[in-house]
Amino acid sequence: MLKVIVVDDEPLARRGMLVRLADFPELEIVAECSNGAEAVAAIREHQPDAVFLDVEMPGLDGFGVLKQLQQQQINLPYVVFVTAYDHYALTAFEVQALDYVLKPVEKERLAAAVGKLTKNFEAKDDQRHKGQLAAVVAQLTGEKTDQILQRLDQSQPVMNERFPEAISIKDSGEITRVPVSAIDWVDAAGDYMCIHTRDGQTHILRRTMKELEQELDPKLFVRVHRSAIVNVNTIAKLQMLANGEHQLMLTNGQAVKVSRSYKDRVKMVFNS
């Protein structure tokens, strides 16, 4: 339900607007005001979603109300101007009013204005909720909020699939759980993967490089060669060799060749 304030210095016109707006269950009238000063105070107090605002009022007119709200740094609600004079229309839209309704207010025209109001509010509210959700997910995953918002806009899953914290490796009747965080780098040897860990051990895993790559978090691991994957936290430097090729030096002293087709991926690690 949208909180609404009605502002008009003419009692009959104000009463008539209140009666007409009562036909819309999506609206809740939280205040009615007879002049611009009352409107500013009521908007500050109630923080409405929308205000139906008369233009011509003695003292502080409708445009003056908006100016004071801006000067006092009060959040502007959606504004639907209501007036007997159509020559204010251009000025109304210049101050970004949502709509402009002429007196006497026709039922169909008011319904159109309310429809526009609810549609814009739902879009704004949806965007606000998306922003809050993206902020929470970003805190949990470390991912950038704009990337999360892009997935939301494309109706994709909010959170990426979680990657396993450990890889199970079968060897001679035993199963060893190797923590993913302990992996320094991986290289291919035929149909097997050699998983080199921080403690200097090498574990043999029967799996393809593509299958293993899909199990590793791309924020932590980068494919540097057709047959090599490296933990980005172990990269010490990128070297260009005399023959024009590149290689990575890891913190453990291991050199890993970088193929031309994966060079750009590696450079992104250094730019992030």
Side-chain angles (χ1 to χ4, degrees), residues 8 17 20 52-55 80-89 92-93 99-110 113:
D8 199 310
M17 178 61 74
R20 290 178 174 85
F52 286 80
L53 182 61
D54 188 17
V55 175
V80 177
F81 277 115
V82 183
T83 180
Y85 306 99
D86 60 4
H87 61 266
Y88 290 116
F93 289 113
D99 209 343
Y100 183 93
V101 178
L102 288 175
K103 298 178 181 178
V105 179
E106 298 178 352
K107 182 177 180 180
E108 293 78 9
R109 183 65 186 87
L110 183 60

Side-chain angles (χ1 to χ4, degrees), residues 226-246:
R226 181 172 53 87
S227 58
I229 297 174
V230 171
N231 185 330
V232 298
N233 293 319
T234 67
I235 297 175
K237 55 186 173 181
L238 174 64
Q239 297 176 325
M240 183 173 180
L241 305 179
N243 59 3
E245 294 184 345
H246 291 75

Side-chain angles (χ1 to χ4, degrees), residues 26 43 68 83 90 172 184 203 223 263 266 269:
E26 63 268 37
I43 292 170
Q68 281 211 8
T83 180
L90 181 59
S172 302
D184 276 352
H203 303 272
R223 184 89 173 261
K263 184 176 62 177
V266 174
V269 173

Side-chain angles (χ1 to χ4, degrees), residues 1-6 17-18 20-30 49-52 80 110-111 113-115 117-119 121:
M1 185 173 288
L2 278 67
K3 296 189 297 181
V4 171
I5 289 178
V6 174
M17 178 61 74
L18 291 171
R20 290 178 174 85
L21 291 178
D23 291 336
F24 300 94
E26 63 268 37
L27 305 182
E28 176 190 4
I29 309 299
V30 295
D49 301 305
V51 55
F52 286 80
V80 177
L110 183 60
V114 173
L117 171 62
T118 55
K119 183 178 180 180
F121 181 80

Side-chain angles (χ1 to χ4, degrees), residues 8 18 64 71 92 97 118 126 147 155 158 162 178-179 185-186 205 210 212-213 225 229 259 268 272:
D8 199 310
L18 291 171
Q71 290 174 341
T118 55
D126 180 60
Q147 295 173 337
S155 300
V158 176
R162 293 188 62 87
V178 178
W185 70 293
V186 181
L205 176 68
K210 183 177 180 180
L212 181 60
E213 184 180 16
H225 192 277
I229 297 174
S259 67
M268 287 178 63
S272 62

Side-chain angles (χ1 to χ4, degrees), residues 59-262:
L60 190 66
D61 65 12
F63 299 118
V65 168
L66 297 188
K67 185 176 181 180
Q68 281 211 8
L69 293 174
Q70 291 174 326
Q71 290 174 341
Q72 297 180 30
Q73 297 183 335
I74 299 172
N75 289 334
L76 290 176
Y78 285 116
V79 176
V80 177
F81 277 115
V82 183
T83 180
Y85 306 99
D86 60 4
H87 61 266
Y88 290 116
L90 181 59
T91 307
F93 289 113
E94 284 178 349
V95 296
Q96 298 183 338
L98 179 69
D99 209 343
Y100 183 93
V101 178
L102 288 175
K103 298 178 181 178
V105 179
E106 298 178 352
K107 182 177 180 180
E108 293 78 9
R109 183 65 186 87
L110 183 60
V114 173
K116 185 184 293 187
L117 171 62
T118 55
K119 183 178 180 180
N120 277 267
F121 181 80
E122 288 169 359
K124 181 179 179 181
D125 195 49
D126 180 60
Q127 199 61 33
R128 179 175 62 85
H129 284 300
K130 284 182 179 180
Q132 292 173 340
L133 179 58
V136 172
V137 175
Q139 287 182 335
L140 293 173
T141 65
E143 190 176 1
K144 294 180 179 179
T145 54
D146 56 349
Q147 295 173 337
I148 300 167
L149 286 169
Q150 185 177 16
R151 289 205 302 277
L152 285 168
D153 290 338
Q154 296 172 353
S155 300
Q156 295 178 355
V158 176
M159 295 186 68
N160 286 326
E161 295 182 5
R162 293 188 62 87
F163 297 94
E165 296 181 355
I167 294 176
S168 297
I169 300 176
K170 296 180 181 180
D171 183 28
S172 302
E174 296 181 346
I175 300 178
T176 303
R177 279 176 54 83
V178 178
V180 171
S181 60
I183 298 174
D184 276 352
W185 70 293
V186 181
D187 67 329
D191 295 332
Y192 295 87
M193 298 294 106
C194 298
I195 298 179
H196 308 280
T197 55
R198 200 152 300 157
D199 57 6
Q201 297 189 56
T202 298
H203 303 272
I204 307 301
L205 176 68
R206 186 178 178 85
R207 199 171 301 175
T208 67
M209 181 65 74
K210 183 177 180 180
E211 290 172 342
L212 181 60
E213 184 180 16
Q214 291 175 343
E215 289 190 26
L216 299 175
D217 187 343
K219 295 195 295 292
L220 298 178
F221 290 87
V222 60
R223 184 89 173 261
V224 302
H225 192 277
R226 181 172 53 87
S227 58
I229 297 174
V230 171
N231 185 330
V232 298
N233 293 319
T234 67
I235 297 175
K237 55 186 173 181
L238 174 64
Q239 297 176 325
M240 183 173 180
L241 305 179
N243 59 3
E245 294 184 345
H246 291 75
Q247 72 175 14
L248 287 173
M249 291 301 299
L250 307 187
T251 53
N252 61 6
Q254 176 69 46
V256 181
K257 183 180 178 181
V258 177
S259 67
R260 288 186 175 86
S261 56
Y262 291 96

